[in-house]
Amino acid sequence: MIPLRDDNPAQRVPVVTRTLIAVNVLVFVFELTRGEDLPEFLRNWGLVPGNLFAAVSDVTTLPRELGTVFTSLFLHSGWLHLIGNMWYLWIFGDNVEDSMGSWRFLGFYLSAGFVAALLHSALMPGSPIPTVGASGAIAGVLGAYALRFPRARVMTLIPLFFFFQVVAVPALVLLGIWFVLQFISGTLSLGSGSGGVAWWAHIAGFAYGFVFMGLLTRRQRARAELVL
């Protein structure tokens, strides 16, 4: 299933969402200029779980390795990786930013990516493979959207054998199916010790976004009741 758009227009211009998309695209264009140096560039600025856990006992390198948790959020392994992530951020990010406010949304996005990356690293503590991509942070956005706008209709492209059908699917259903697929894939990947898709980063990011939005919504409602 491929989401095309939602029927949930934002009330304000999503400045942070658009800026994040622009930065990711610009960084990827810079990656393309690295040529043969690209693998080394990704090792230096991507998150390498083995390096992160090795640095825990070394106060001199820990700040740098923690920094790669954030820099890795703006790196991508290819055009499809970039386009897929940015497409989801474009569709769902504007409404989440609208409901949180721009600055809180930026902090939320980065913290979701941080939590997602740490769980992925904890499950593969000795891995020498660089982890790159914004998908953990964007999974946080999806989790927040699923809770805040569960009934929003998402126009979704669904392949049916040799035909394609566009169907309006409730956001909670679409994103719930997405989460279940991530969970199944993540469970099957446990113990493999190999690289590939960081399924558990997606799972952690989504759960973090769902909980974060729940706490924020409760806080906003409590404030509204005090005003009344």
Side-chain angles (χ1 to χ4, degrees), residues 1 7 14 25 29 31 36 40 63 65 85 118 132 136 142 224 227:
M1 297 192 298
D7 64 355
V25 171
V29 171
E31 286 182 49
E36 295 181 355
E40 181 179 359
E65 296 303 330
N85 278 342
L118 286 187
V132 298
L142 302 186
V227 172

Side-chain angles (χ1 to χ4, degrees), residues 49-213:
N51 292 350
L52 178 62
F53 280 90
V56 170
S57 59
D58 188 346
V59 294
T60 59
T61 59
L62 183 58
R64 186 200 178 284
E65 296 303 330
L66 285 175
T68 63
V69 175
F70 295 105
T71 57
S72 67
L73 299 179
F74 298 92
L75 302 174
H76 289 84
S77 60
W79 280 108
L80 289 179
H81 191 200
L82 174 72
I83 292 171
N85 278 342
M86 295 305 102
W87 185 251
Y88 272 81
L89 182 56
W90 175 264
I91 294 175
F92 300 106
D94 58 342
N95 298 113
V96 177
E97 179 180 347
D98 202 24
S99 64
M100 290 185 179
S102 294
W103 287 111
R104 181 182 283 122
F105 175 73
L106 178 60
F108 160 74
Y109 179 91
L110 295 174
S111 61
F114 186 82
V115 169
L118 286 187
L119 179 62
H120 169 73
S121 298
L123 293 174
M124 305 184 68
S127 174
I129 301 173
T131 300
V132 298
S135 53
I138 294 170
V141 174
L142 302 186
Y145 191 103
L147 183 71
R148 183 67 178 82
F149 308 103
R151 296 182 180 85
R153 313 294 284 187
V154 182
M155 301 306 295
T156 305
L157 183 66
I158 301 178
L160 296 173
F161 299 102
F162 298 104
F163 302 96
F164 292 91
Q165 182 73 38
V166 176
V167 179
V169 180
L172 186 59
V173 173
L174 174 66
L175 298 178
I177 292 173
W178 181 90
F179 179 78
V180 169
L181 292 176
Q182 305 303 304
F183 187 82
I184 292 173
S185 298
T187 301
L188 293 176
S189 72
L190 287 176
S192 65
S194 61
V197 179
W199 302 111
W200 286 96
H202 301 173
I203 295 165
F206 188 96
Y208 176 83
F210 197 89
V211 172
F212 186 99
M213 181 58 83

